[in-house]
Amino acid sequence: MPLDQRTTLTQFLIEQRRRFPSASGDFNALILDVALACKAIARSVAFGALGGVLGAQAGSINVQGEEQKKLDVISNELFVRANEWGGHLAGMASEEMDEPYNIPGVYPRGKYLLVFDPLDGSSNIDVNVSVGSIFSVLRAPQDVIDSGRDVTAADFLQPGCQQLAAGYALYGPSTMLVLTVGTGVHGFTLDPNLGEFFLSHPDIRVPADTQEFAINASNSRFWEPPVKRYVDECLAGKTGPRGKDFNMRWIASMVAEAHRILMRGGVFLYPRDTKDPSKPGRLRLLYEANPVGFIMEQAGGRASTGREPILQVQPTSLHQRIGLVFGSKNEVERIERYHREPAPLKDDNPLFAERTLFRD
Ligand code: AFP
């Protein structure tokens, strides 16, 4: 597309802001700072082995008890540095930081909170598979704005329905920024020559139906009955109760799965399971489930714990984990229905008999 017909991210944000004549511009400036961090991360990721950035960060374990990769640490640093100085933020929280990050005294403090996973899917970095960054913007509590006090974890414990913006950057064959500010979902592709994000996918909609699902089937023996039922029915294909064949995908990089689902539909499940009773799910509520949930709902899809909409969950801790199901609306609603309904009697359903496909 010729340059003069393209819309930059900056133009897009300015046009959105015109609908709110009293807006200060802080919000737009914040999103542009986030986009700058994503461009810098894209650059680091792109150099791969040549940049000396692959592999683990020696001796570094994050709050999740997971080994940090060098690029996890670099990406976190890039997010913090790009966003701390602008005067838009009251504080930040990240997967890679145990405690909330307070804006240093040398910089002004603002009215927003930024929550992020700087490099999701980082176990894929060393094998050159797509990874991404996820972020969520919340309004700081009024007393934080008024007093300029340090933020605490409690200030971030807001349900996902209170997010003002959410998005992700996908570092794949091309770099994309996918964003919602509550007016649908819009995708921007990075022009690597100009270093600029251009609107390439306006008003993305998730198809309501799908024949593709994504789940880590190695956990099948830990799944709860509604999830087993759903997956068994998909696997039974044309000969089962769904009467159609399904395809399966698993990238182990949620941003990449979310993007595929936004582009062509599908359903993603990382449900609550019985693998480790201390972890009610694998994914983190505040910086993985909530932003992706907001994006899915804004694109006409759905996001849920299986039991309730993800955006209604009241968080109880900064790094809380949760079961997550998202994607094509009709499939997510079906999974929610399976959670509500009593499990079908084994005798009634051949899929749950001795020869069930996924069985303990
Ligand atoms: P990492 O960022 O630690 O690689 O975790 C990625 C992730 O949170 C999410 O992006 C994947 O969907 C999920 O974990 C993969 O988990 P499994 O390794 O259990 O499949």
Side-chain angles (χ1 to χ4, degrees), residues 215-232:
I215 192 164
N216 181 344
S218 72
N219 292 325
S220 61
R221 69 188 184 283
F222 305 114
W223 291 341
E224 294 179 330
V227 173
K228 282 188 182 182
R229 174 183 175 191
Y230 177 76
V231 174
D232 272 349

Side-chain angles (χ1 to χ4, degrees), residues 240-263:
R242 301 297 306 272
K244 60 180 186 179
D245 288 336
F246 281 76
N247 202 352
M248 195 174 91
R249 292 282 182 273
W250 190 250
I251 306 173
S253 187
M254 191 191 57
V255 173
E257 320 259 15
H259 192 69
R260 184 190 63 247
I261 288 171
L262 277 184
M263 293 294 107

Side-chain angles (χ1 to χ4, degrees), residues 66 119-123 216 250 252-254 268 270 282-284 288:
E66 294 160 352
L119 203 60
D120 180 62
S122 54
S123 61
N216 181 344
W250 190 250
S253 187
M254 191 191 57
F268 171 101
Y270 214 125
R282 164 90 165 89
L283 302 177
R284 278 53 60 116
E288 292 183 314

Side-chain angles (χ1 to χ4, degrees), residues 17-33:
R17 194 185 129 210
R18 286 201 181 113
R19 296 181 302 119
F20 304 98
S22 60
S24 64
D26 277 6
F27 181 78
N28 283 2
L30 168 60
I31 299 294
L32 291 173
D33 287 347

Side-chain angles (χ1 to χ4, degrees), residues 92-151:
M92 297 184 232
S94 159
E95 179 183 10
E96 304 303 337
M97 299 189 286
D98 300 7
E99 302 295 334
Y101 181 85
N102 277 298
I103 302 301
V106 288
Y107 303 123
R109 290 182 174 177
K111 53 181 180 283
Y112 299 110
L113 299 174
L114 179 66
V115 192
F116 52 92
D117 177 352
L119 203 60
D120 180 62
S122 54
S123 61
N124 282 324
I125 296 167
D126 295 348
V127 292
N128 201 7
V129 168
S130 297
V131 288
S133 305
I134 318 174
F135 63 91
S136 160
V137 179
L138 298 163
R139 178 172 287 274
Q142 196 57 44
D143 78 293
V144 173
I145 300 171
D146 293 343
S147 66
R149 70 162 167 81
D150 283 358
V151 287

